[in-house]
Amino acid sequence: MSFLDYFKGKKKNSANVAKERLQIIVAHERGQRDQPDYLPKLQQELLEVIRKYVQISDDMVQVEVDRNDSCSVLELNVTLPER
Amino acid sequence: MARIIVVTSGKGGVGKTTTSASISTGLAKRGHKTVVIDFDVGLRNLDLIMNCERRVVYDFVNVIQGEATLNQALIRDKRVDTLYILPASQTREKEALTKDGVEQVINELSETFDYIVCDSPAGIEHGAQMALYYADEAVVVTNPEVSSVRDSDRILGILQSKSRRAEMGQDPVKEHLLLTRYNPDRVEKGEMLSVGDVEEILAIPLLGVIPESQIVLNASNQGVPVILEEDSDAGQAYDDAVARLLGEEREHRFMTSQKKGFFSRMFKGG
């Protein structure tokens, strides 16, 4: 940080911005990478079943798989609309 | 049994072919019988970088399709006599590289060579997947720049899921990070991702850092692998990387800016 930068106010340098953006996008893409191929279809079909009973929008069903050494857990989150 | 090393990156233009040429030359120079295969069917360039473009008669696809023997297609390097080049086909479709065909060629090469270096095409499609499928080790070439780092992470995912080792449930492909076109001055100014930043994001061991250098273009103009430019920083950085690949411990160099003193500026005109 040079003497002049002190007066200009510490602006974040572009390398730091790059690093932060990369950390976020890489973490996000890794999360998706580890998911099984059938997940999007499963999510779609679950959505259809639930819609027979409750009207919900596409983003109100979240399906994720958590893998541990010994077992995998399928986690299903359904947000119901307010009555 | 040969060790199979893929040089890959996802993104194009980061230095895969430059790196394949230098690593294979470096391994051969140390006495290991080495072959470097160009997997970029349709866009062959390794022959130019290795200065054997006028000696190509048969290629990788000819061998796979039984139109030529391996011995007919292999080109012996004129500088290092333990080095051979297997050029890519310039006229065929990428799909000409079949899994079985590639396996057959690699198995045959494996009988006589110590190292097989696979120069991957850019992208994550068929050609790139064929290049990495049989790999024991992967050199992931990355520039300190957002799109290259992201693509490298993508190719790491493919190595971990679609390589033979992954599919067979064997030990994973050994991954190495090679950071190229590194400019310490710009890193110090906060304009470029540092080695540490890229290591932190990709989380794989660092094989080497190749400084951005005019020598690289000069070498490719003349068809000389950079590693043979022994007086240059980039050439020495490649030599260090090859030494590390062979298990030697070498300290990383060329990672800080060489501030020129008053006298060297006066006398070298830099």
Side-chain angles (χ1 to χ4, degrees), chain B residues 105-268:
Chain B
V105 172
I106 284 188
N107 282 347
E108 199 179 331
L109 289 170
S110 230
E111 289 169 15
T112 46
F113 284 91
D114 302 324
Y115 287 91
I116 301 173
V117 177
C118 303
D119 182 20
S120 173
I124 53 172
E125 305 302 320
H126 183 74
Q129 294 197 14
M130 284 301 104
L132 67 77
Y133 189 73
Y134 296 100
D136 300 311
E137 301 189 32
V139 174
V140 179
V141 183
T142 308
N143 289 170
E145 176 269 327
V146 285
S147 50
S148 175
V149 176
R150 181 198 205 172
D151 291 358
S152 290
D153 193 66
R154 191 94 168 78
I155 211 78
L156 286 169
I158 292 172
L159 281 163
Q160 290 156 13
S161 62
K162 294 194 171 165
S163 60
R164 178 174 59 174
R165 284 178 170 269
E167 283 182 1
M168 301 283 190
Q170 297 168 337
D171 291 341
V173 177
K174 195 173 173 196
E175 299 154 344
H176 306 274
L177 170 63
L178 188 76
L179 204 55
T180 55
R181 308 197 71 166
Y182 195 69
N183 186 331
D185 288 330
R186 299 201 73 180
V187 172
E188 276 169 33
K189 284 186 199 147
E191 295 174 350
M192 185 180 263
L193 291 164
S194 69
V195 189
D197 292 341
V198 181
E199 278 185 283
E200 195 181 322
I201 293 161
L202 294 179
I204 59 171
L206 181 68
L207 180 69
V209 178
I210 313 298
E212 167 103 86
S213 166
Q214 299 186 349
I215 270 296
V216 177
L217 180 60
N218 279 326
S220 81
N221 285 342
Q222 298 168 285
V224 177
V226 178
I227 199 167
L228 294 178
E229 302 285 357
E230 289 167 5
D231 298 329
S232 72
D233 48 1
Q236 291 171 14
Y238 269 120
D239 191 65
D240 286 355
V242 171
R244 290 187 200 107
L245 205 54
L246 293 169
E248 216 176 288
E249 294 264 341
R250 287 214 186 167
E251 212 175 309
H252 287 283
R253 297 190 277 171
F254 316 114
M255 280 166 33
T256 51
S257 75
Q258 306 292 313
K259 290 252 163 52
K260 281 182 181 156
F262 176 73
F263 282 104
S264 67
R265 256 188 292 178
M266 287 290 287
F267 294 112
K268 283 193 173 163

Side-chain angles (χ1 to χ4, degrees), chain A:
Chain A
M1 198 54 62
S2 79
F3 185 64
L4 265 176
D5 288 341
Y6 183 78
F7 290 102
K8 281 193 270 183
K10 280 181 191 165
K11 232 171 79 186
K12 241 194 220 164
N13 67 44
S14 69
N16 284 338
V17 177
K19 186 181 179 187
E20 279 170 26
R21 292 174 61 215
L22 272 170
Q23 279 172 324
I24 293 165
I25 191 66
V26 163
H28 175 74
E29 289 178 345
R30 278 182 193 158
Q32 288 189 329
R33 186 195 293 166
D34 298 335
Q35 301 293 336
D37 300 342
Y38 59 76
L39 224 54
K41 192 147 184 265
L42 177 66
Q43 180 160 351
Q44 195 53 45
E45 286 181 16
L46 283 168
L47 205 62
E48 280 162 26
V49 172
I50 294 166
R51 274 197 187 137
K52 285 184 185 169
Y53 306 95
V54 196
Q55 265 317 305
I56 53 169
S57 60
D58 286 5
D59 57 350
M60 290 162 95
V61 172
Q62 298 291 336
V63 190
E64 271 170 43
V65 175
D66 273 329
R67 284 213 194 90
N68 297 320
D69 290 339
S70 54
C71 68
S72 298
V73 178
L74 180 74
E75 192 182 311
L76 173 63
N77 279 305
V78 184
T79 318
L80 291 178
E82 285 179 41
R83 285 171 172 272

